[in-house]
Amino acid sequence: MERKHYTQQINITDALMARINELLSHYPSDKRKSALLPILHEVQDAHDNWLSIELQDKVAEIIGIKPVEVYEVVTFYTMFNQRPIGKYMFEFCQTSPCCLNGVENLMDYTCNKLGVKVGEPTADGMFEVRGVECLGACGYAPMMQLGDFYQEHLTEEKIDQLIADCRDNKITLHDK
Ligand code: FES
């Protein structure tokens, strides 16, 4: 099956480059690849939360490693996005404790409310729903991650409120 190619405006600002250089400075000069994960997070945050092939190539060039070394990391971890995603990504934990506490019904509820399937952004690009593995907050099941923050003990009412708050621009996605 042919993969769709998404284009992206690459913008490595002076501030982003300074942050990348700071991250690289934490490692010996012959171990620059060790900074790849934090650099990818910074670069993704600065590019609407996704990483095109061209942007991954740019990261490889900056670090001085092969592009494939970036591709293999980006394709392995679900926190890196390879296509444009909804601005508000509802990442529901789908591991047993959250399932036993009704997370799948809440995912269905959210998808129906937003008029989407799992893995499809809404037409306005505002929302997307995704299932992920255990987020390490099993005692607060059912839960999900929204940006850098956890939303715990979810109910349909909490989902309604979160969606309303996202639409009203009241949700902070990043903790910095
Ligand atoms: S099972 Fe959901 S956070 Fe661990």
Side-chain angles (χ1 to χ4, degrees):
M1 193 171 79
E2 197 179 326
R3 290 190 65 184
K4 186 164 177 189
H5 183 82
Y6 298 95
T7 52
Q8 181 178 42
Q9 183 76 38
I10 295 177
N11 187 19
I12 307 292
T13 61
D14 289 349
L16 178 56
M17 198 60 223
R19 177 70 182 133
I20 291 171
N21 283 329
E22 199 244 320
L23 289 166
L24 284 167
S25 75
H26 298 174
Y27 301 93
S29 56
D30 62 339
K31 296 272 189 286
R32 287 168 64 89
K33 187 181 170 186
S34 300
L36 178 55
L37 277 173
I39 287 174
L40 284 173
H41 281 296
E42 294 284 343
V43 171
Q44 179 170 264
D45 285 351
H47 288 83
D48 294 327
N49 209 16
W50 73 286
L51 299 155
S52 62
I53 291 289
E54 291 77 14
L55 187 50
Q56 293 174 54
D57 290 346
K58 186 71 186 169
V59 169
E61 181 192 317
I62 290 169
I63 299 178
I65 58 178
K66 294 186 192 128
V68 71
E69 294 178 277
V70 179
Y71 305 160
E72 61 195 14
V73 169
V74 169
T75 55
F76 182 79
Y77 291 109
T78 56
M79 71 273 268
F80 297 123
N81 303 301
Q82 300 168 67
R83 60 168 173 78
I85 61 163
K87 177 179 177 187
Y88 296 102
M89 173 68 88
F90 286 23
E91 298 185 278
F92 288 92
C93 168
Q94 283 192 296
T95 305
S96 305
C98 283
C99 286
L100 289 169
N101 283 281
V103 82
E104 289 179 327
N105 289 341
L106 288 171
M107 284 180 79
D108 288 345
Y109 177 82
T110 310
C111 285
N112 287 336
K113 188 166 172 95
L114 296 173
V116 291
K117 294 185 181 142
V118 171
E120 280 179 3
T122 51
D124 61 3
M126 280 278 283
F127 296 96
E128 188 164 335
V129 175
R130 167 191 282 172
V132 296
E133 298 302 321
C134 179
L135 289 164
C138 321
Y140 306 98
M143 58 80 66
M144 70 166 177
Q145 184 165 355
L146 178 56
D148 290 341
F149 300 99
Y150 283 0
Q151 307 292 338
E152 299 159 345
H153 297 305
L154 291 171
T155 60
E156 291 181 359
E157 292 71 31
K158 282 192 180 175
I159 299 281
D160 289 345
Q161 189 61 54
L162 280 170
I163 290 173
D165 286 348
C166 290
R167 290 199 165 117
D168 291 342
N169 212 16
K170 289 184 184 163
I171 294 285
T172 301
L173 289 175
H174 299 296
D175 64 357
K176 56 181 176 335

